[in-house]
Amino acid sequence: MRLSWMFMAILVGCGESDKDSAGSGVTLDRSVPEVSLPEPTLRRLTRVQYDNAISALLGGGLVLPSSLDPDQVTDGLRAIGASLTTISPRGVELYEDAAFDLVQQALASPENRAVLVPCDETDDGCGESVIAEFATKAWRRPLEDEELSTLVAIAEQAEDVLDDFDAGLNYALSAVLQSPHFLFRVELGEPDPSGDGRRFTNHEMASRMSFLLWNTIPDDELMRAAAAGELTEDETLRTQLERMVADPRFEDGVRAFFTDMWTLYQLDDMTKDPTVFTHMSPEVGASAREETLLGVVENVVYEDGDYRDLFTTTRTFLDRKLASIYNVRAPVREGFGEAILSDEGVRRGVLGQVSFLALQSHAVNSSATLRGKFVREVLLCQYIPPPPSDVDTSIPEASADAVTLRERVAVHLEDEFCASCHQLVDPIGLGLEQFDGLGHYRTTESGGVIDPTGELDGVAFSDAWGLAGAVSEHDRLPRCLTQTAMAYASGHSVTDGEQDAVEYLDAGFRHHNHSVSFLMTDLVMSVAFRQAGEIE
Amino acid sequence: MKPLSRRDVLRGMLAGTAVSVGLPPLEAMFNVNGTAYAAGGGLPLRFGLFFWGNGNLPERWTPTGEGTDWTLSEQLEPLAGVKDLITVVSGMSLHTDNVYPHTSGSSGILTGANLLAYEDGRQDGTFEIPSIDQLIAGHIGGDTIYRSLETGAFPGTKGNSFNGPNNKNPPELSPIAFYERIFGSTFREPGEEGVVDPSLALRRSVLDAVMADVEKVNARVGAADRIRLEQHLTGIRELELRLARLAEDPPSLESCMRASEPAAEYPQVEGRHPVSDIHRAMTDLLVMAVACDQTRVFSHWFSDPLTNKLYPGATMGHHSLTHDEPGEQPEVNMITKFIMGEFAYMVEALAAVPEGDESVLDHMVLLATSETSRGQTHSFEEMPIVLAGGACGGLNQGIHYRSHTGENASKVMLSLVRAMGINAPTFGLGAGEVSDGLSAIQA
């Protein structure tokens, strides 16, 4: 309870009216939610987090492992899968290989080694200090004496047998990288000294903040703040938070969140028939992801813009490849440049981008159902049940009466049984039919004129441009982002006991012009992020 | 520095140091190796799985005739050269729930159980219990360097080799990486000495420390995490054993030799992966891994359930074709026949490796199956099941068994598990569970 009051004080005292970027003069009125949190569980580092942590620990320029235990997606997020999956026997082998290989690479590079081993190896205690510093950073917490002595013993044993200082280090540092203290996020909480229940410890907070906002391990300053007890106090926590959001690494955190939420990782393994899509090449997937993420980063990190604008903006970032798919002039010869799409056309926002249009399509044709399902499930958080297993789900082939996809899938919407779900998704996807299975604009399909009109929950639209507007103004859009951000930050699907916390964050998000960076900082300051559930 | 002799290393390992644990006696650990075979220990039984996604077309799949007097169907015709070595089981059904197209079927056929369900009744893509390959590996995988091996053919394949919930063994998809893993610097041909390398003992010391860390975390976490960490520990113990085994002399197996090195890359041709080339390269490596007793259990994921990859010569992705290709689905038919041709290559390759008077295939069973029969309706009836190999006389070969009553496919799985010498009372859970095998396929 005391914690709740503390929050109220903060909100009234320094938070809301100062930060009221809405300029409406209306003060946000919300009371701190009561939360009941599930048992905390270990989260395995995602593949990208592993790579980022390695670079932070061993320095850049290393050849990163080609394969590790793959990320698992659960309930739409890799962040949730990470709380459920474990390390497979094959994974143990892969992580072992990777650890030795990476440490060896770093020690073999004079530049990397100089940072890793700042002391003279003949000096007393040099090896020990290197190991202690490395392990503290990698495990995101101070080492216990016994842990350090075990690691030092490993190094000494290896140095004795192989007669080489660096070989000794290699074994000790590789042990650090294979440990569950590194591969898993051990954030289990402690009794809250200021009240009932449990909270995350200072070092756990450092880790939680760092992985959420930077997608990597804490830096030295955050570790210092944790050691000084600053991350369980509102004011000092906020100071660190503001520093982190202003840091260039915030971009990595934002990229990771949107990549997970919008499944942009799938673009690495996208199948498109190049004999049908002449613009298709293996690089298209990566280019399309970069376009989307550049737009997101611009909105969230650099402009502190309105999340909803991501769906209606005509500004985007294109390379030559994408420019040719969009049939516009490439803004730059190399890399990505800013481009403004014509407001005479139908393409705007994320729903007009290849990353969405091509991914939510098949290998040779578009899919109204997949595209509509993405909008419902990912953007609006409305669960669409899978089709029953024992029905023929084939779409009738094109005939003289039914040329376009809209005419062919009419059966989905006429049959009462199919329509119960398909009416929720198909009309959205049919509004996007002027984009083919890769995202190229077209007005006809097999000679038939495409009709892109439709309605989204009572809002009529005449084409993809209008649909983008309807999605951006949909009442569920902000709330869905809040809910997904909560799940992403906590590593579990939002439970009943956290609904009030979602409401609380959602109110702040709306009040602050749907600023995603506000949402993320508000989330870190919230009880739902700082309190821990009981361990049974 | 003077290189350590193998004896020194072993002595060092046994003596133990501050951070290494004592080993169990070597004799106890390595009682099944080349010497044991020579002493009449018998040849080991092996299990292989060949899995492909999106099923078949039952009306073009089911052979005519039953028992020993039968004729291959159109889709099985590519197996003509090995007809005497295979058994086709048709008419079997999955009795598990068909809730999620493709994923329910994967769990149904490979575990005889439903997918793991959440409290709210929803199910996710994870199995509740180990897949049949891991169930078998748990019993017969302990005596080889690799408890099991998982491979795939199409790039991006994820496989469904489950150790337990949320714990999948990722398949190796690169032939050259797979070659280096099995036949790289640590591989020894029969007659050579074991690996003499002091780093093996050091690596084991590291693993001991890691294991102690896992135990320490384990003491603080909740029940769900304890299961996960136990699984992590299992993996570490397996790697420790593997490192210990590398120091042993390799088993003396007549057909074992270092496999030849595959191509470094398999570039796409017109947007299609050269899946046949990748599959055959993987098969050649797998066959030699089995012949060298590197493993006794493998699962080869030719393609994933729901895969929408483009097959050579196909005009749409495979999954799209199963739903949207009109009429008799000639392209789906072509793809199924193509897959059976690739399966035939694996059967032939295993049959071509002599072991005593017989072949490797005679001493194993290879199961080919998919997560559905007709992909268009995700049907659980008429499940495609082809077996190859005699399991050292435990299984019949050269027959077509047809169930006219839609018997539970778990019966076949239970027979296979038992044919591996495993005394399993049942296979599957709930509606998919059986306690009787399929006697018609058992010798």
Side-chain angles (χ1 to χ4, degrees):
Chain A
M1 280 303 98
R2 264 180 66 195
L3 189 68
S4 304
W5 281 110
M6 245 160 54
F7 264 81
M8 285 292 272
I10 288 296
L11 290 173
V12 176
C14 75
E16 308 300 332
S17 49
D18 290 350
K19 280 190 149 273
D20 189 3
S21 47
S24 60
V26 180
T27 310
L28 173 62
D29 179 26
R30 52 177 185 173
S31 51
V32 172
E34 289 281 336
V35 294
S36 162
L37 295 157
E39 178 175 273
T41 53
L42 307 175
R43 281 190 258 180
R44 197 181 77 194
L45 298 195
T46 65
R47 177 54 208 263
V48 177
Q49 287 167 352
Y50 180 92
D51 289 353
N52 290 348
I54 289 297
S55 300
L57 288 163
L58 295 172
L62 308 183
V63 180
L64 297 166
S66 57
S67 73
L68 292 173
D69 251 350
D71 292 327
Q72 172 177 320
V73 179
T74 301
D75 219 358
L77 290 178
R78 289 179 157 186
I80 299 175
S83 302
L84 293 166
T85 191
T86 180
I87 294 176
S88 72
R90 174 66 178 139
V92 171
E93 194 183 338
L94 291 168
Y95 285 117
E96 196 222 13
D97 257 5
F100 281 107
D101 177 59
L102 291 163
V103 176
Q104 206 155 13
Q105 284 186 59
L107 291 172
S109 146
E111 260 174 63
N112 298 46
R113 188 182 185 282
V115 178
L116 209 52
V117 190
C119 45
D120 184 334
E121 64 182 66
T122 56
D123 286 355
D124 239 15
C126 172
E128 182 170 329
S129 70
V130 169
I131 292 167
E133 192 165 325
F134 183 86
T136 305
K137 207 169 166 184
W139 295 355
R140 290 94 68 183
R141 60 169 173 79
L143 289 198
E144 290 164 20
D145 293 345
E146 189 201 334
E147 289 170 334
L148 181 58
S149 62
T150 301
L151 292 169
V152 170
I154 287 174
E156 283 171 352
Q157 184 195 32
E159 189 180 346
D160 282 353
V161 174
L162 301 168
D163 198 20
D164 179 48
F165 176 81
D166 278 11
L169 270 190
N170 187 3
Y171 280 87
L173 303 193
S174 298
V176 170
L177 296 181
Q178 291 175 65
S179 170
H181 300 305
F182 174 68
L183 296 173
F184 287 102
R185 293 170 54 183
V186 185
E187 297 158 12
L188 301 170
E190 64 184 2
D192 189 337
S194 65
D196 317 329
R198 295 170 68 80
R199 66 171 190 189
F200 289 107
T201 68
N202 269 278
H203 282 97
E204 288 168 351
M205 279 299 289
S207 201
R208 289 169 73 75
M209 293 165 76
S210 187
F211 282 115
L212 174 66
L213 300 171
W214 291 349
N215 209 33
T216 188
I217 54 175
D219 66 354
D220 294 343
E221 167 59 15
L222 201 53
M223 290 291 279
R224 184 207 58 75
E230 293 177 9
L231 303 180
T232 46
E233 299 296 330
D234 291 327
E235 209 163 318
T236 42
L237 171 63
R238 189 175 282 283
T239 305
Q240 285 299 322
L241 191 49
E242 279 166 8
R243 177 182 76 88
M244 292 181 76
V245 169
D247 188 284
R249 281 170 286 193
F250 183 47
E251 190 176 322
D252 298 336
V254 170
R255 280 172 171 259
F257 173 43
F258 279 84
T259 299
D260 196 0
M261 176 169 60
W262 288 349
T263 69
L264 300 177
Y265 48 83
Q266 290 184 1
L267 286 159
D268 288 327
D269 189 36
M270 184 170 68
T271 300
K272 293 288 162 193
D273 192 337
T275 61
V276 174
F277 301 111
T278 48
H279 290 95
M280 185 58 194
S281 64
E283 313 84 63
V284 167
S287 285
R289 175 170 49 224
E290 190 60 13
E291 178 198 4
T292 300
L293 291 175
L294 284 170
V296 165
V297 164
E298 191 67 18
N299 173 296
V300 176
V301 180
Y302 298 110
E303 300 197 324
D304 197 15
D306 189 318
Y307 168 61
R308 302 171 307 169
D309 289 350
L310 287 172
F311 300 91
T312 53
T313 181
T314 52
R315 183 179 60 176
T316 192
F317 300 86
L318 304 177
D319 63 2
R320 291 171 70 90
K321 192 86 212 168
L322 295 168
S324 73
I325 294 173
Y326 295 164
N327 201 19
V328 298
R329 232 181 57 169
V332 284
R333 296 176 71 86
E334 295 291 324
F336 284 79
E338 188 177 312
I340 305 293
L341 301 171
S342 163
D343 53 13
E344 311 268 290
V346 302
R347 189 191 302 278
R348 62 169 172 167
V350 169
L351 298 182
Q353 295 182 351
V354 170
S355 69
F356 159 72
L357 294 168
L359 207 49
Q360 307 305 328
S361 289
H362 300 303
V364 299
N365 46 350
S366 63
S367 169
T369 304
L370 290 178
R371 288 173 177 176
K373 188 167 177 276
F374 180 92
V375 170
R376 285 290 180 199
E377 292 198 322
V378 177
L379 301 181
L380 303 177
C381 294
Q382 293 171 304
Y383 175 64
I384 305 293
S389 288
D390 261 4
V391 298
D392 176 357
T393 57
S394 60
I395 299 173
E397 58 184 306
S399 67
D401 302 337
V403 178
T404 64
L405 185 65
R406 179 182 296 272
E407 291 154 353
R408 289 163 55 215
V409 300
V411 60
H412 279 168
L413 304 176
E414 279 158 16
D415 181 318
E416 197 182 325
F417 180 66
C418 302
S420 61
C421 292
H422 278 280
Q423 68 180 0
L424 292 171
V425 292
D426 289 3
I428 300 173
L430 291 170
L432 295 159
E433 265 300 287
Q434 287 184 327
F435 300 117
D436 70 14
L438 188 60
H440 199 271
Y441 178 69
R442 61 181 179 180
T443 53
T444 61
E445 181 192 3
S446 314
V449 175
I450 293 168
D451 167 13
T453 61
E455 186 195 294
L456 174 66
D457 298 337
V459 178
F461 57 83
S462 55
D463 55 21
W465 181 280
L467 172 65
V471 168
S472 78
E473 281 160 28
H474 199 288
D475 191 49
R476 293 188 65 100
L477 187 74
R479 158 88 193 205
C480 179
L481 184 79
T482 308
Q483 186 179 318
T484 308
M486 273 266 295
Y488 179 81
S490 68
H492 59 257
S493 307
V494 173
T495 58
D496 288 347
E498 294 163 296
Q499 291 301 336
D500 285 356
V502 176
E503 294 298 338
Y504 170 88
L505 292 171
D506 190 42
F509 183 43
R510 287 173 198 259
H511 186 75
H512 285 268
N513 281 337
H514 307 96
S515 153
V516 177
S517 51
F518 175 82
L519 173 64
M520 288 173 88
T521 51
D522 201 31
L523 178 55
V524 171
M525 293 301 295
S526 76
V527 286
F529 189 79
R530 295 164 67 181
Q531 288 185 359
E534 296 286 338
I535 294 176
E536 301 294 326
Chain B
M1 195 185 84
K2 171 178 154 284
L4 291 175
S5 75
R6 178 159 169 263
R7 184 177 301 277
D8 290 340
V9 175
L10 289 174
R11 189 184 296 136
M13 284 159 66
L14 284 165
T17 67
V19 286
S20 71
V21 293
L23 276 174
L26 290 171
E27 302 87 309
M29 213 146 74
F30 307 124
N31 57 354
V32 183
N33 58 21
T35 348
Y37 302 148
L43 285 157
L45 282 158
R46 289 83 163 228
F47 175 82
L49 172 66
F50 174 99
F51 188 96
W52 79 96
N54 298 333
N56 66 353
L57 294 171
E59 68 278 10
R60 291 168 183 252
W61 172 275
T62 309
T64 50
E66 292 175 36
T68 52
D69 184 16
W70 60 290
T71 310
L72 286 163
S73 62
E74 180 191 352
Q75 292 195 327
L76 294 172
E77 189 55 34
L79 291 157
V82 292
K83 183 173 178 251
D84 293 345
L85 303 176
I86 63 168
T87 282
V88 177
V89 184
S90 71
M92 306 300 285
S93 313
L94 297 184
H95 290 196
T96 45
D97 295 343
N98 196 353
V99 183
Y100 284 78
H102 300 278
T103 36
S104 288
S106 307
S107 175
I109 189 77
L110 296 172
T111 71
N114 291 337
L115 293 165
L116 187 71
Y118 292 127
E119 277 171 22
D120 64 4
R122 269 191 303 152
Q123 298 176 358
D124 209 328
T126 186
F127 292 5
E128 184 168 359
I129 54 176
S131 48
I132 184 168
D133 56 308
Q134 291 308 313
L135 171 68
I136 290 171
H139 291 273
I140 70 169
D143 291 329
T144 48
I145 289 188
Y146 297 95
R147 179 180 185 269
S148 65
L149 291 172
E150 294 76 35
T151 53
F154 271 109
T157 298
K158 297 180 172 71
N160 274 305
S161 174
F162 275 93
N163 301 298
N166 299 299
N167 185 354
K168 220 187 230 194
N169 296 300
E172 183 59 69
L173 304 177
S174 152
I176 190 72
F178 189 57
Y179 169 83
E180 276 159 12
R181 180 175 173 214
I182 309 297
F183 298 104
S185 60
T186 57
F187 178 76
R188 293 292 178 271
E189 289 190 334
E192 293 183 85
E193 285 207 341
V195 180
V196 181
D197 184 348
S199 73
L200 291 179
L202 296 172
R203 283 165 67 190
R204 298 185 62 217
S205 297
V206 168
L207 292 176
D208 287 338
V210 172
M211 222 168 341
D213 286 349
V214 179
E215 303 277 16
K216 210 167 128 187
V217 177
N218 210 2
R220 297 175 55 207
V221 297
D225 277 347
R226 281 199 290 275
I227 295 170
R228 298 165 72 199
L229 290 175
E230 279 303 327
Q231 292 174 328
H232 185 194
L233 276 178
T234 303
I236 301 171
R237 285 193 203 102
E238 276 175 26
L239 182 54
E240 279 221 336
L241 272 175
R242 184 174 313 150
L243 296 179
R245 289 217 170 95
L246 288 175
E248 280 298 289
D249 294 341
S252 97
L253 291 157
E254 60 173 293
S255 297
C256 171
M257 58 179 153
R258 192 184 297 268
S260 35
E261 195 173 320
E265 282 178 35
Y266 290 83
Q268 294 189 21
V269 182
E270 292 189 332
R272 274 92 176 144
H273 294 290
V275 64
S276 173
D277 295 347
I278 302 172
H279 161 73
R280 290 177 185 218
M282 280 297 194
T283 298
D284 293 348
L285 295 170
L286 272 175
V287 168
M288 199 44 80
V290 172
C292 293
D293 208 26
Q294 300 286 299
T295 193
R296 293 177 191 169
V297 178
F298 69 83
S299 58
H300 181 62
W301 307 89
F302 185 83
S303 62
D304 273 334
L306 207 69
T307 186
N308 209 23
K309 297 283 187 195
L310 288 160
Y311 275 82
T315 59
M316 283 202 265
H318 189 199
H319 181 240
S320 294
L321 279 171
T322 62
H323 288 297
D324 296 338
E325 191 185 14
E328 296 185 342
Q329 300 201 317
E331 289 197 32
V332 172
N333 188 38
M334 170 194 78
I335 290 171
T336 313
K337 288 197 288 190
F338 169 77
I339 295 169
M340 283 303 105
E342 297 307 311
F343 174 59
Y345 178 86
M346 183 176 268
V347 177
E348 283 161 12
L350 288 162
V353 180
E355 251 179 4
D357 297 337
E358 299 178 310
S359 72
V360 166
L361 187 72
D362 291 322
H363 305 139
M364 70 177 293
V365 62
L366 179 62
L367 160 68
T369 192
S370 186
E371 80 280 8
T372 180
S373 55
R374 184 186 310 282
Q376 193 167 53
T377 54
H378 313 116
S379 175
F380 272 16
E381 285 160 17
E382 301 284 348
M383 292 300 289
I385 298 171
V386 183
L387 311 173
C392 294
L395 293 169
N396 286 323
Q397 286 169 285
I399 66 167
H400 169 218
Y401 173 79
R402 173 141 189 90
S403 174
H404 295 278
T405 55
E407 286 165 272
N408 191 337
S410 294
K411 292 174 79 169
V412 180
M413 304 304 146
L414 184 56
S415 288
L416 300 188
V417 171
R418 287 177 178 166
M420 293 295 102
I422 300 164
N423 185 17
T426 59
F427 184 88
L429 284 179
E433 181 177 336
V434 295
S435 52
D436 291 321
L438 192 63
S439 53
I441 62 170
Q442 292 162 207

